[in-house]
mmCIF file of all heavy atoms in Angstrom:
data_model
loop_
_atom_site.group_PDB
_atom_site.id
_atom_site.type_symbol
_atom_site.label_atom_id
_atom_site.label_comp_id
_atom_site.label_asym_id
_atom_site.label_seq_id
_atom_site.Cartn_x
_atom_site.Cartn_y
_atom_site.Cartn_z
ATOM 1 N N VAL A 239 14.015 1.046 15.228
ATOM 2 C CA VAL A 239 15.342 0.506 15.452
ATOM 3 C C VAL A 239 15.262 -1.001 15.493
ATOM 4 O O VAL A 239 14.414 -1.562 16.203
ATOM 5 C CB VAL A 239 15.934 1.048 16.779
ATOM 6 C CG1 VAL A 239 17.339 0.520 16.980
ATOM 7 C CG2 VAL A 239 15.914 2.573 16.820
ATOM 8 N N GLU A 263 21.666 -5.586 23.104
ATOM 9 C CA GLU A 263 20.429 -5.101 22.503
ATOM 10 C C GLU A 263 20.009 -3.772 23.129
ATOM 11 O O GLU A 263 19.644 -2.803 22.422
ATOM 12 C CB GLU A 263 19.315 -6.123 22.689
ATOM 13 C CG GLU A 263 19.619 -7.504 22.128
ATOM 14 C CD GLU A 263 20.153 -8.458 23.193
ATOM 15 O OE1 GLU A 263 20.760 -7.972 24.179
ATOM 16 O OE2 GLU A 263 19.982 -9.668 23.000
ATOM 17 N N VAL A 264 19.977 -3.709 24.467
ATOM 18 C CA VAL A 264 19.472 -2.506 25.141
ATOM 19 C C VAL A 264 20.376 -1.307 24.869
ATOM 20 O O VAL A 264 19.883 -0.216 24.518
ATOM 21 C CB VAL A 264 19.356 -2.762 26.677
ATOM 22 C CG1 VAL A 264 19.008 -1.481 27.405
ATOM 23 C CG2 VAL A 264 18.317 -3.838 26.969
ATOM 24 N N GLU A 265 21.665 -1.464 25.008
ATOM 25 C CA GLU A 265 22.567 -0.365 24.776
ATOM 26 C C GLU A 265 22.442 0.172 23.360
ATOM 27 O O GLU A 265 22.482 1.380 23.134
ATOM 28 C CB GLU A 265 24.026 -0.782 25.044
ATOM 29 C CG GLU A 265 24.311 -1.069 26.510
ATOM 30 C CD GLU A 265 25.759 -1.537 26.716
ATOM 31 O OE1 GLU A 265 26.511 -1.572 25.715
ATOM 32 O OE2 GLU A 265 26.115 -1.848 27.856
ATOM 33 N N THR A 266 22.297 -0.732 22.418
ATOM 34 C CA THR A 266 22.195 -0.331 21.005
ATOM 35 C C THR A 266 20.882 0.423 20.741
ATOM 36 O O THR A 266 20.867 1.476 20.092
ATOM 37 C CB THR A 266 22.270 -1.559 20.081
ATOM 38 O OG1 THR A 266 23.506 -2.224 20.300
ATOM 39 C CG2 THR A 266 22.176 -1.136 18.624
ATOM 40 N N ILE A 267 19.772 -0.105 21.236
ATOM 41 C CA ILE A 267 18.490 0.577 21.025
ATOM 42 C C ILE A 267 18.539 1.956 21.653
ATOM 43 O O ILE A 267 18.058 2.944 21.044
ATOM 44 C CB ILE A 267 17.342 -0.279 21.597
ATOM 45 C CG1 ILE A 267 17.168 -1.560 20.788
ATOM 46 C CG2 ILE A 267 16.036 0.522 21.622
ATOM 47 C CD1 ILE A 267 16.249 -2.567 21.439
ATOM 48 N N ASN A 268 19.104 2.046 22.841
ATOM 49 C CA ASN A 268 19.128 3.366 23.502
ATOM 50 C C ASN A 268 20.027 4.338 22.776
ATOM 51 O O ASN A 268 19.747 5.528 22.717
ATOM 52 C CB ASN A 268 19.578 3.180 24.954
ATOM 53 C CG ASN A 268 18.555 2.465 25.810
ATOM 54 O OD1 ASN A 268 17.387 2.287 25.380
ATOM 55 N ND2 ASN A 268 18.936 2.034 26.991
ATOM 56 N N THR A 269 21.124 3.848 22.188
ATOM 57 C CA THR A 269 21.999 4.713 21.410
ATOM 58 C C THR A 269 21.258 5.322 20.225
ATOM 59 O O THR A 269 21.309 6.542 19.969
ATOM 60 C CB THR A 269 23.213 3.925 20.882
ATOM 61 O OG1 THR A 269 24.046 3.536 21.987
ATOM 62 C CG2 THR A 269 24.050 4.726 19.905
ATOM 63 N N TYR A 270 20.529 4.491 19.490
ATOM 64 C CA TYR A 270 19.839 4.998 18.296
ATOM 65 C C TYR A 270 18.560 5.710 18.631
ATOM 66 O O TYR A 270 18.056 6.514 17.825
ATOM 67 C CB TYR A 270 19.634 3.851 17.282
ATOM 68 C CG TYR A 270 20.943 3.498 16.645
ATOM 69 C CD1 TYR A 270 21.617 2.318 16.960
ATOM 70 C CD2 TYR A 270 21.571 4.397 15.781
ATOM 71 C CE1 TYR A 270 22.847 2.029 16.398
ATOM 72 C CE2 TYR A 270 22.800 4.092 15.220
ATOM 73 C CZ TYR A 270 23.439 2.911 15.524
ATOM 74 O OH TYR A 270 24.648 2.648 14.978
ATOM 75 N N THR A 271 18.000 5.458 19.809
ATOM 76 C CA THR A 271 16.882 6.285 20.257
ATOM 77 C C THR A 271 17.313 7.726 20.457
ATOM 78 O O THR A 271 16.651 8.661 20.034
ATOM 79 C CB THR A 271 16.319 5.708 21.574
ATOM 80 O OG1 THR A 271 15.774 4.394 21.350
ATOM 81 C CG2 THR A 271 15.198 6.600 22.134
ATOM 82 N N ARG A 272 18.488 7.882 21.067
ATOM 83 C CA ARG A 272 19.044 9.244 21.231
ATOM 84 C C ARG A 272 19.323 9.899 19.876
ATOM 85 O O ARG A 272 19.072 11.077 19.651
ATOM 86 C CB ARG A 272 20.304 9.203 22.067
ATOM 87 C CG ARG A 272 20.088 8.808 23.525
ATOM 88 C CD ARG A 272 21.341 9.035 24.364
ATOM 89 N NE ARG A 272 22.428 8.141 23.971
ATOM 90 C CZ ARG A 272 22.620 6.945 24.483
ATOM 91 N NH1 ARG A 272 21.779 6.461 25.426
ATOM 92 N NH2 ARG A 272 23.626 6.193 24.125
ATOM 93 N N ALA A 273 19.824 9.086 18.924
ATOM 94 C CA ALA A 273 20.098 9.602 17.592
ATOM 95 C C ALA A 273 18.816 10.049 16.884
ATOM 96 O O ALA A 273 18.812 11.106 16.219
ATOM 97 C CB ALA A 273 20.834 8.533 16.756
ATOM 98 N N LYS A 275 16.063 11.061 18.333
ATOM 99 C CA LYS A 275 15.567 12.238 19.007
ATOM 100 C C LYS A 275 16.332 13.481 18.552
ATOM 101 O O LYS A 275 15.713 14.565 18.384
ATOM 102 C CB LYS A 275 15.716 12.070 20.534
ATOM 103 C CG LYS A 275 14.712 11.095 21.133
ATOM 104 C CD LYS A 275 14.964 10.893 22.599
ATOM 105 C CE LYS A 275 14.762 12.168 23.381
ATOM 106 N NZ LYS A 275 15.040 11.969 24.829
ATOM 107 N N LYS A 280 10.424 11.518 17.776
ATOM 108 C CA LYS A 280 10.100 11.110 19.135
ATOM 109 C C LYS A 280 9.224 9.868 19.211
ATOM 110 O O LYS A 280 9.131 9.250 20.283
ATOM 111 C CB LYS A 280 9.424 12.276 19.889
ATOM 112 C CG LYS A 280 10.292 13.533 20.021
ATOM 113 C CD LYS A 280 9.537 14.615 20.724
ATOM 114 C CE LYS A 280 10.386 15.887 20.839
ATOM 115 N NZ LYS A 280 9.617 16.985 21.499
ATOM 116 N N ILE A 282 8.951 6.303 18.509
ATOM 117 C CA ILE A 282 9.982 5.295 18.215
ATOM 118 C C ILE A 282 9.510 3.914 18.621
ATOM 119 O O ILE A 282 8.880 3.731 19.669
ATOM 120 C CB ILE A 282 11.290 5.627 19.001
ATOM 121 C CG1 ILE A 282 11.779 7.044 18.623
ATOM 122 C CG2 ILE A 282 12.365 4.594 18.727
ATOM 123 C CD1 ILE A 282 12.906 7.549 19.498
ATOM 124 N N VAL A 283 9.767 2.943 17.768
ATOM 125 C CA VAL A 283 9.392 1.553 18.014
ATOM 126 C C VAL A 283 10.645 0.674 17.829
ATOM 127 O O VAL A 283 11.419 0.863 16.894
ATOM 128 C CB VAL A 283 8.306 1.093 17.012
ATOM 129 C CG1 VAL A 283 8.028 -0.392 17.173
ATOM 130 C CG2 VAL A 283 7.043 1.922 17.179
ATOM 131 N N ALA A 284 10.848 -0.265 18.764
ATOM 132 C CA ALA A 284 11.972 -1.179 18.677
ATOM 133 C C ALA A 284 11.510 -2.489 18.103
ATOM 134 O O ALA A 284 10.463 -3.058 18.490
ATOM 135 C CB ALA A 284 12.566 -1.405 20.063
ATOM 136 N N ASP A 314 13.702 -8.465 30.878
ATOM 137 C CA ASP A 314 14.772 -7.589 31.311
ATOM 138 C C ASP A 314 15.184 -6.611 30.203
ATOM 139 O O ASP A 314 15.537 -5.460 30.471
ATOM 140 C CB ASP A 314 15.994 -8.431 31.716
ATOM 141 C CG ASP A 314 15.767 -9.080 33.082
ATOM 142 O OD1 ASP A 314 14.896 -8.637 33.839
ATOM 143 O OD2 ASP A 314 16.465 -10.091 33.363
ATOM 144 N N ILE A 315 15.112 -7.066 28.942
ATOM 145 C CA ILE A 315 15.449 -6.162 27.823
ATOM 146 C C ILE A 315 14.438 -5.004 27.808
ATOM 147 O O ILE A 315 14.827 -3.821 27.722
ATOM 148 C CB ILE A 315 15.450 -6.921 26.504
ATOM 149 C CG1 ILE A 315 16.648 -7.891 26.440
ATOM 150 C CG2 ILE A 315 15.463 -5.972 25.327
ATOM 151 C CD1 ILE A 315 16.669 -8.800 25.209
ATOM 152 N N ALA A 316 13.146 -5.332 27.874
ATOM 153 C CA ALA A 316 12.127 -4.288 27.812
ATOM 154 C C ALA A 316 12.271 -3.314 29.001
ATOM 155 O O ALA A 316 12.052 -2.105 28.816
ATOM 156 C CB ALA A 316 10.748 -4.931 27.820
ATOM 157 N N LYS A 317 12.620 -3.820 30.152
ATOM 158 C CA LYS A 317 12.755 -2.955 31.327
ATOM 159 C C LYS A 317 13.943 -2.011 31.199
ATOM 160 O O LYS A 317 14.008 -1.010 31.910
ATOM 161 C CB LYS A 317 12.910 -3.802 32.587
ATOM 162 C CG LYS A 317 11.601 -4.477 33.006
ATOM 163 C CD LYS A 317 11.786 -5.324 34.258
ATOM 164 C CE LYS A 317 10.483 -5.957 34.714
ATOM 165 N NZ LYS A 317 10.648 -6.804 35.907
ATOM 166 N N GLY A 318 14.906 -2.329 30.281
ATOM 167 C CA GLY A 318 16.084 -1.485 30.158
ATOM 168 C C GLY A 318 16.025 -0.522 28.985
ATOM 169 O O GLY A 318 16.874 0.366 28.869
ATOM 170 N N ILE A 319 15.056 -0.705 28.087
ATOM 171 C CA ILE A 319 14.982 0.154 26.907
ATOM 172 C C ILE A 319 14.469 1.534 27.263
ATOM 173 O O ILE A 319 13.499 1.680 28.021
ATOM 174 C CB ILE A 319 14.093 -0.515 25.824
ATOM 175 C CG1 ILE A 319 14.756 -1.793 25.287
ATOM 176 C CG2 ILE A 319 13.803 0.445 24.680
ATOM 177 C CD1 ILE A 319 13.895 -2.590 24.341
ATOM 178 N N ASP A 320 15.090 2.556 26.701
ATOM 179 C CA ASP A 320 14.755 3.953 26.940
ATOM 180 C C ASP A 320 13.233 4.174 26.941
ATOM 181 O O ASP A 320 12.523 3.725 26.052
ATOM 182 C CB ASP A 320 15.405 4.802 25.827
ATOM 183 C CG ASP A 320 15.421 6.289 26.111
ATOM 184 O OD1 ASP A 320 14.366 6.801 26.499
ATOM 185 O OD2 ASP A 320 16.477 6.899 25.945
ATOM 186 N N PRO A 321 12.721 4.927 27.935
ATOM 187 C CA PRO A 321 11.283 5.193 27.997
ATOM 188 C C PRO A 321 10.751 5.937 26.738
ATOM 189 O O PRO A 321 9.544 5.934 26.520
ATOM 190 C CB PRO A 321 11.141 6.097 29.219
ATOM 191 C CG PRO A 321 12.317 5.739 30.099
ATOM 192 C CD PRO A 321 13.437 5.429 29.137
ATOM 193 N N GLU A 322 11.635 6.549 25.969
ATOM 194 C CA GLU A 322 11.208 7.237 24.744
ATOM 195 C C GLU A 322 10.696 6.241 23.696
ATOM 196 O O GLU A 322 10.012 6.661 22.741
ATOM 197 C CB GLU A 322 12.345 8.092 24.171
ATOM 198 C CG GLU A 322 12.727 9.296 25.017
ATOM 199 C CD GLU A 322 11.613 10.339 25.072
ATOM 200 O OE1 GLU A 322 10.783 10.364 24.128
ATOM 201 O OE2 GLU A 322 11.582 11.102 26.027
ATOM 202 N N VAL A 323 11.083 4.976 23.813
ATOM 203 C CA VAL A 323 10.567 3.958 22.888
ATOM 204 C C VAL A 323 9.126 3.631 23.270
ATOM 205 O O VAL A 323 8.845 3.339 24.426
ATOM 206 C CB VAL A 323 11.448 2.699 22.910
ATOM 207 C CG1 VAL A 323 10.847 1.593 22.051
ATOM 208 C CG2 VAL A 323 12.853 3.041 22.432
ATOM 209 N N ASP A 324 8.218 3.718 22.297
ATOM 210 C CA ASP A 324 6.813 3.627 22.616
ATOM 211 C C ASP A 324 6.213 2.222 22.550
ATOM 212 O O ASP A 324 5.143 1.959 23.123
ATOM 213 C CB ASP A 324 6.029 4.554 21.639
ATOM 214 C CG ASP A 324 6.464 6.006 21.800
ATOM 215 O OD1 ASP A 324 6.191 6.567 22.851
ATOM 216 O OD2 ASP A 324 7.063 6.526 20.840
ATOM 217 N N ALA A 325 6.852 1.299 21.854
ATOM 218 C CA ALA A 325 6.379 -0.085 21.756
ATOM 219 C C ALA A 325 7.564 -0.948 21.395
ATOM 220 O O ALA A 325 8.511 -0.483 20.747
ATOM 221 C CB ALA A 325 5.244 -0.217 20.753
ATOM 222 N N VAL A 326 7.496 -2.233 21.812
ATOM 223 C CA VAL A 326 8.564 -3.178 21.551
ATOM 224 C C VAL A 326 7.951 -4.393 20.859
ATOM 225 O O VAL A 326 7.126 -5.090 21.435
ATOM 226 C CB VAL A 326 9.273 -3.604 22.856
ATOM 227 C CG1 VAL A 326 10.424 -4.580 22.531
ATOM 228 C CG2 VAL A 326 9.810 -2.383 23.606
ATOM 229 N N ILE A 339 4.926 -4.290 29.811
ATOM 230 C CA ILE A 339 6.066 -4.431 30.718
ATOM 231 C C ILE A 339 6.523 -3.017 31.065
ATOM 232 O O ILE A 339 6.661 -2.193 30.140
ATOM 233 C CB ILE A 339 7.204 -5.218 30.106
ATOM 234 C CG1 ILE A 339 6.746 -6.660 29.751
ATOM 235 C CG2 ILE A 339 8.431 -5.267 31.003
ATOM 236 C CD1 ILE A 339 7.766 -7.483 29.003
ATOM 237 N N PRO A 340 6.726 -2.705 32.320
ATOM 238 C CA PRO A 340 7.111 -1.309 32.634
ATOM 239 C C PRO A 340 8.474 -0.915 32.071
ATOM 240 O O PRO A 340 9.414 -1.714 32.059
ATOM 241 C CB PRO A 340 7.138 -1.316 34.175
ATOM 242 C CG PRO A 340 7.304 -2.753 34.558
ATOM 243 C CD PRO A 340 6.627 -3.546 33.510
ATOM 244 N N ASP A 341 8.534 0.331 31.560
ATOM 245 C CA ASP A 341 9.812 0.837 31.079
ATOM 246 C C ASP A 341 10.621 1.346 32.282
ATOM 247 O O ASP A 341 10.148 1.255 33.434
ATOM 248 C CB ASP A 341 9.565 1.936 30.031
ATOM 249 C CG ASP A 341 8.947 3.206 30.579
ATOM 250 O OD1 ASP A 341 8.988 3.424 31.817
ATOM 251 O OD2 ASP A 341 8.371 3.967 29.791
ATOM 252 N N PRO A 342 11.846 1.833 32.097
ATOM 253 C CA PRO A 342 12.650 2.277 33.260
ATOM 254 C C PRO A 342 12.009 3.350 34.128
ATOM 255 O O PRO A 342 12.402 3.527 35.251
ATOM 256 C CB PRO A 342 13.929 2.776 32.573
ATOM 257 C CG PRO A 342 14.063 1.973 31.338
ATOM 258 C CD PRO A 342 12.646 1.839 30.870
ATOM 259 N N SER A 343 11.055 4.104 33.572
ATOM 260 C CA SER A 343 10.384 5.138 34.368
ATOM 261 C C SER A 343 9.163 4.553 35.122
ATOM 262 O O SER A 343 8.522 5.288 35.865
ATOM 263 C CB SER A 343 9.935 6.285 33.459
ATOM 264 O OG SER A 343 8.856 5.883 32.603
ATOM 265 N N GLY A 344 8.876 3.281 34.870
ATOM 266 C CA GLY A 344 7.731 2.661 35.546
ATOM 267 C C GLY A 344 6.454 2.687 34.763
ATOM 268 O O GLY A 344 5.443 2.104 35.199
ATOM 269 N N ARG A 345 6.429 3.312 33.599
ATOM 270 C CA ARG A 345 5.185 3.372 32.802
ATOM 271 C C ARG A 345 5.001 2.077 31.993
ATOM 272 O O ARG A 345 5.958 1.556 31.404
ATOM 273 C CB ARG A 345 5.229 4.558 31.841
ATOM 274 C CG ARG A 345 5.131 5.912 32.493
ATOM 275 C CD ARG A 345 4.858 6.975 31.450
ATOM 276 N NE ARG A 345 5.916 7.029 30.440
ATOM 277 C CZ ARG A 345 5.772 7.554 29.218
ATOM 278 N NH1 ARG A 345 4.594 8.042 28.856
ATOM 279 N NH2 ARG A 345 6.787 7.609 28.369
ATOM 280 N N ARG A 347 4.438 -0.363 29.005
ATOM 281 C CA ARG A 347 4.767 -0.247 27.574
ATOM 282 C C ARG A 347 4.419 -1.567 26.874
ATOM 283 O O ARG A 347 4.696 -2.644 27.371
ATOM 284 C CB ARG A 347 6.234 0.069 27.360
ATOM 285 C CG ARG A 347 6.672 0.156 25.913
ATOM 286 C CD ARG A 347 8.044 0.779 25.769
ATOM 287 N NE ARG A 347 9.053 0.139 26.571
ATOM 288 C CZ ARG A 347 10.243 0.672 26.861
ATOM 289 N NH1 ARG A 347 10.552 1.871 26.390
ATOM 290 N NH2 ARG A 347 11.126 0.031 27.594
ATOM 291 N N ASP A 372 4.927 12.908 19.333
ATOM 292 C CA ASP A 372 5.158 11.618 19.995
ATOM 293 C C ASP A 372 3.892 10.795 20.024
ATOM 294 O O ASP A 372 2.779 11.330 19.784
ATOM 295 C CB ASP A 372 5.663 11.848 21.422
ATOM 296 C CG ASP A 372 6.450 10.678 21.981
ATOM 297 O OD1 ASP A 372 6.508 9.620 21.299
ATOM 298 O OD2 ASP A 372 7.060 10.829 23.058
ATOM 299 N N ARG A 375 1.217 7.376 24.786
ATOM 300 C CA ARG A 375 1.446 6.019 25.289
ATOM 301 C C ARG A 375 0.158 5.327 25.777
ATOM 302 O O ARG A 375 -0.032 4.147 25.555
ATOM 303 C CB ARG A 375 2.470 6.097 26.431
ATOM 304 C CG ARG A 375 2.799 4.739 27.079
ATOM 305 C CD ARG A 375 3.692 3.899 26.188
ATOM 306 N NE ARG A 375 5.043 4.424 26.107
ATOM 307 C CZ ARG A 375 5.999 4.230 27.006
ATOM 308 N NH1 ARG A 375 5.773 3.509 28.071
ATOM 309 N NH2 ARG A 375 7.196 4.746 26.819
#
Side-chain angles (χ1 to χ4, degrees):
V239 181
E263 304 96 334
V264 173
E265 291 178 4
T266 302
I267 293 169
N268 291 346
T269 292
Y270 287 107
T271 296
R272 292 190 294 270
K275 288 175 63 181
K280 298 179 182 178
I282 302 170
V283 175
D314 287 339
I315 290 174
K317 288 180 177 178
I319 292 175
D320 194 312
E322 291 293 336
V323 174
D324 299 294
V326 182
I339 298 174
D341 67 21
S343 71
R345 290 193 300 160
R347 177 167 54 196
D372 204 352
R375 179 75 70 83

